[in-house]
Amino acid sequence: MNYEDFKKQILLLTTIDLNAYKENQMKRRIGAIIKKNQCEGYEDYLRLLKNNKTSLQDFITYLTINVTEFFRNPSQWDILEKQIFPLLLQKKRTIKIWSAACSTGDEPYSLAMVLSQFLPLHQISILATDLDLEVLEKAKKGQYIARNLTNIPKEFRDKYITEKNGLFTINDTLKQCITFKQHDLLKDPYPSNMDLIVCRNVMIYFTEEAKKEIYLHFHKAMAEDGILFVGSTEQIIMCQDYGLEPYKIFFYQKKGVKR
Ligand SMILES: C[S@@+](CC[C@H](N)C(=O)[O-])C[C@H]1O[C@@H](n2cnc3c(N)ncnc32)[C@H](O)[C@@H]1O
């Protein structure tokens, strides 16, 4: 079995379309997990995935690269707090936020913490999505170890996190601000009228064609003057082609209609 056939089988088995992910990187990663499982090659590994649910979930989790952290790249969160939220709240009393590819929830919880300085918690509603059901379960639980909390400002830790036996849990009051849902950026319908879309550190894994499609979908999903917040290696070249204008570094604003 070659890589092309493997991709087709994975699509049937998981609905994940590997065609949209950068090929060299994927092949390298899949090669490594095949080796780790002591399989002979694609066919042998596929047999394992079909017969063993745990191996299949491990494969999905490995493939989707769930690395994340609270307040990842703190200086960008500073811009979000000092410039982006004030801008968005100038015209609206409440804002619609989508944290796309949210992994274990560190990002949407960080968003809720910052926004709680501007709005009462009951007015905050954040949609947080990811492809991987396993990380979404962790996100809903909202339980973390001390190492995960390093970047969280003390005032937020004191207010929104409770420690018990070395485990740190997000308080229900903050959890209630967030709706976690499975969503595949490559094939599911997008939400609409978002004032802020936060999509960071996932576009790097996609092919150029897949990225173009996603940016166009984001443009449609954004409210007029809405903001897209991207990862620190994910600046959008030719952003005007997607109806986006640079607002600050790593922040783009929807302006006008797509050309
Ligand atoms: C490296 S994490 C980034 C998490 C967070 N946004 C951050 O910047 O810290 C990438 C996430 O993208 C998710 N992902 C990968 N492919 C996806 C897809 N097609 N649709 C939605 N999420 C996807 C993975 O499951 C993973 O949780």
Side-chain angles (χ1 to χ4, degrees):
M1 177 182 283
N2 59 22
Y3 186 58
E4 287 305 311
D5 295 329
F6 182 75
K7 282 191 290 189
K8 282 181 201 151
Q9 293 296 320
I10 291 299
L11 183 62
L12 293 174
L13 204 59
T14 67
T15 78
I16 296 176
D17 184 3
L18 290 176
N19 285 313
Y21 294 79
K22 285 180 188 157
E23 182 160 322
N24 287 343
Q25 193 182 33
M26 270 303 147
K27 273 183 164 169
R28 203 172 47 242
R29 289 183 64 76
I30 293 168
I33 198 168
I34 289 178
K35 225 175 172 181
K36 197 175 150 215
N37 281 276
Q38 296 171 341
C39 291
E40 293 289 321
Y42 292 128
E43 199 163 345
D44 194 19
Y45 185 51
L46 199 65
R47 208 170 301 123
L48 173 72
L49 298 183
K50 281 182 177 163
N51 293 322
N52 186 320
K53 268 198 171 158
T54 313
S55 297
L56 183 63
Q57 184 52 56
D58 286 352
F59 174 64
I60 294 172
T61 300
Y62 171 80
L63 205 68
T64 50
I65 314 169
N66 305 126
V67 180
T68 186
E69 60 188 56
F70 286 89
F71 294 91
R72 188 171 189 171
N73 311 112
S75 59
Q76 292 161 28
W77 287 82
D78 211 43
I79 297 177
L80 184 76
E81 177 185 343
K82 304 229 166 69
Q83 305 189 39
I84 305 297
F85 280 142
L87 169 86
L88 294 173
L89 287 163
Q90 251 172 26
K91 291 191 195 153
K92 295 185 177 177
R93 287 180 51 210
T94 184
I95 49 178
K96 279 179 82 177
I97 300 177
W98 178 24
S99 166
C102 68
S103 190
T104 47
D106 312 37
E107 183 176 273
Y109 287 130
S110 304
L111 287 166
M113 287 178 197
V114 178
L115 193 54
S116 73
Q117 298 179 112
F118 297 87
L119 293 174
L121 288 181
H122 71 267
Q123 274 186 37
I124 298 178
S125 163
I126 297 171
L127 172 67
T129 62
D130 200 281
L131 168 77
D132 184 349
L133 282 175
E134 193 168 282
V135 289
L136 287 173
E137 277 316 304
K138 285 192 191 157
K140 280 182 208 162
K141 269 201 182 138
Q143 286 184 337
Y144 303 91
I145 52 171
R147 183 159 42 87
N148 299 133
L149 311 186
T150 321
N151 287 342
I152 305 181
K154 186 177 177 320
E155 73 215 76
F156 293 146
R157 272 203 229 188
D158 293 347
K159 221 168 166 180
Y160 298 124
I161 297 176
T162 306
E163 194 257 312
K164 202 178 164 193
N165 303 330
L167 210 55
F168 296 81
T169 306
I170 303 287
N171 294 347
D172 284 345
T173 47
L174 198 77
K175 277 189 188 164
Q176 278 157 14
C177 299
I178 300 166
T179 307
F180 289 102
K181 224 175 112 186
Q182 189 182 33
H183 180 273
D184 185 341
L185 286 162
L186 299 168
K187 68 173 178 54
D188 289 329
Y190 280 46
S192 59
N193 233 0
M194 290 290 156
D195 297 296
L196 174 66
I197 297 179
V198 182
C199 184
R200 307 174 72 215
N201 306 301
V202 63
M203 299 300 270
I204 35 168
Y205 303 115
F206 295 133
T207 61
E208 287 308 311
E209 297 75 56
K211 278 193 221 174
K212 277 183 193 162
E213 281 296 308
I214 293 173
Y215 290 138
L216 290 173
H217 283 305
F218 278 155
H219 178 268
K220 257 196 202 153
M222 288 161 83
E224 202 62 29
D225 295 328
I227 294 280
L228 171 65
F229 179 12
V230 302
S232 50
T233 56
E234 297 177 320
Q235 272 130 313
I236 311 173
I237 308 156
M238 313 288 280
C239 61
Q240 283 84 358
D241 285 358
Y242 309 107
L244 299 170
E245 306 226 322
Y247 184 75
K248 293 275 159 196
I249 186 162
F250 311 120
F251 294 89
Y252 296 85
Q253 187 167 40
K254 171 168 171 170
K255 285 283 175 200
V257 183
K258 188 190 108 49
R259 279 185 271 150

